[in-house]
Amino acid sequence: MKLTGKQKRFLRSQAHHLTPIFQVGKGGLNDDMVKQIGEAVEKRELIKVSLLQNTDEEVDDVALALEKALKVNAVQVIGRVIVLFKPSSQEKYQRISTELPRASR
């Protein structure tokens, strides 16, 4: 899903008050963590992931890897924090995606 600038701005404003629920540390990004992040994005739609100081991973590389593996959108990368968004496939979890401004054509 390609997001417009207006949609990204809306998602960034929604993510402002969130705290990161995943931290990539010394072990780096592994398959189990990717799976757990995928499950969290499915239920919450919008999450933050932070990279700790002791990780060898680059923030842009982690964002790109998560985008490819989970088909999510990295809405924002600021410092060592990544904001991820993906509309939930289950209607009961679709809270943010229903408020998302429509893309004008």
Side-chain angles (χ1 to χ4, degrees):
M1 174 181 182
K2 185 75 174 149
L3 295 173
T4 65
K6 190 173 189 176
Q7 290 170 328
K8 285 183 182 181
R9 260 193 324 276
F10 171 77
L11 291 170
R12 286 195 305 261
S13 72
Q14 294 295 307
H16 177 73
H17 71 281
L18 298 178
T19 56
I21 60 173
F22 287 98
Q23 296 178 333
V24 179
K26 194 177 198 177
L29 193 64
N30 57 39
D31 292 338
D32 289 335
M33 184 179 287
V34 171
K35 182 181 176 191
Q36 289 176 350
I37 291 172
E39 291 169 358
V41 169
E42 176 63 31
K43 288 192 176 179
R44 297 177 184 226
E45 292 189 318
L46 189 66
I47 66 167
K48 283 185 178 178
V49 177
S50 68
L51 275 70
L52 299 177
Q53 296 296 326
N54 64 353
T55 187
D56 294 332
E57 304 276 340
E58 292 293 324
V59 69
D60 293 327
D61 296 340
V62 172
L64 190 60
L66 290 171
E67 281 184 321
K68 285 184 178 180
L70 300 173
K71 307 286 190 271
V72 298
N73 290 304
V75 176
Q76 183 178 34
V77 175
I78 185 163
R80 299 178 72 80
V81 177
I82 306 165
V83 178
L84 300 173
F85 171 75
K86 181 179 179 183
S88 179
S89 60
Q90 297 181 28
E91 194 171 319
K92 65 182 178 180
Y93 298 127
Q94 292 177 353
R95 185 176 48 83
I96 294 173
S97 59
T98 56
E99 298 174 15
L100 195 65
R102 298 281 178 228
S104 58
R105 297 187 189 240

